[in-house]
Amino acid sequence: MPKQERAQRTRERLLDAAVQLLAEKGSVETTFEAISKLSGISRGSIRFHFGSKSGLLFAVVDRVLDIWENEAIAPLIDDDGPTTFAGAVDANRDFVSENPVSGRLLFILMFEALGPNAELESRFQDLHERFRRWVRAWIVAAQRNGSIAPEVDIEAAAAIILGVMIGLHYQWQLDPERFDAARCYGELTEVLDRGFATRE
């Protein structure tokens, strides 16, 4: 096996272990030693691939973000314009249900970003702006094809849509047994359709 391929496989195994531990314990209790034990790879390799714990956290966030972008964001806009609100809501719902560990991890790190870790805070500020940028692009495309009213405030609408998506996801992560996600996502489609529809 080529050296570069071996290095990539090692990196992926370390990220797999880090994702699992971070989702279970959070960043404070996730140590290089624990990642090494779970992955079967030396602690020195962790530092070699990621440099520091912050570097590892950022790599984990980037991995989860890439999954979210490919599965929940990319389907929202195609060559013919955006999908319907139902398509957007369904894509987000599917990501939540199919990637529970990744989703939980995002929330754990997101809330830790409110603490003393300035690097993590800055990272999540950029992350949320990236999310809003995706939603803004979708809204602009929808306004062009007439499915969203042209007078809708794009900045505010993007923040509202993102906030609702995050809020539903968080409630499901916190209490999946009692939170009726399917019902709430279904109602969200109706609310968005009515709220942002083209005005007569």
Side-chain angles (χ1 to χ4, degrees):
M1 182 187 301
K3 183 177 180 180
Q4 185 174 1
E5 185 177 345
R6 286 200 306 272
Q8 183 60 33
R9 288 192 178 187
T10 297
R11 178 183 171 87
E12 290 303 313
R13 282 175 60 191
L14 290 170
L15 284 173
D16 286 341
V19 166
Q20 182 177 332
L21 290 169
L22 286 164
E24 293 173 359
K25 302 175 181 294
S27 66
V28 175
E29 296 186 22
T30 297
T31 63
F32 279 7
E33 182 177 359
I35 294 171
S36 174
K37 183 177 180 180
L38 182 61
S39 66
I41 298 171
S42 69
R43 286 191 294 176
S45 291
I46 304 174
R47 195 167 296 280
F48 172 79
H49 283 281
F50 304 104
S52 64
K53 190 169 184 178
S54 290
L56 175 63
L57 290 177
F58 296 159
V60 167
V61 170
D62 285 340
R63 177 198 254 197
V64 175
L65 180 59
D66 286 342
I67 295 172
W68 196 82
E69 181 176 10
N70 291 331
E71 296 185 12
I73 295 296
L76 301 188
I77 301 178
D78 55 31
D79 293 338
D80 299 321
T83 63
T84 61
F85 277 122
V89 172
D90 287 347
N92 187 74
R93 182 202 61 215
D94 291 345
F95 171 79
V96 169
S97 62
E98 294 170 10
N99 299 276
V101 174
S102 295
R104 181 177 181 83
L105 174 59
L106 271 181
F107 281 110
I108 289 172
L109 296 180
M110 188 186 305
F111 293 132
E112 289 188 7
L114 295 173
N117 190 332
E119 289 182 298
L120 198 57
E121 179 182 18
S122 175
R123 189 71 166 188
F124 270 91
Q125 288 172 347
D126 293 341
L127 176 64
H128 280 86
E129 175 51 29
R130 186 175 174 183
F131 286 167
R132 288 191 295 269
R133 185 166 63 247
W134 288 330
V135 181
R136 288 196 298 267
W138 172 46
I139 293 172
V140 168
Q143 286 180 322
R144 287 174 180 158
N145 75 13
S147 59
I148 293 179
E151 62 268 28
V152 167
D153 184 323
I154 296 172
E155 293 288 338
I160 290 167
I161 292 171
L162 178 59
V164 171
M165 295 288 196
I166 289 175
L168 290 179
H169 187 175
Y170 172 70
Q171 290 179 78
W172 178 79
Q173 285 281 354
L174 193 63
D175 193 359
E177 295 299 322
R178 291 186 294 180
F179 181 71
D180 189 342
R183 178 181 179 184
C184 292
Y185 276 110
E187 183 62 23
L188 176 59
T189 298
E190 297 296 325
V191 170
L192 292 175
D193 277 336
R194 292 194 301 269
F196 295 119
T198 300
R199 278 64 161 173
E200 296 296 336

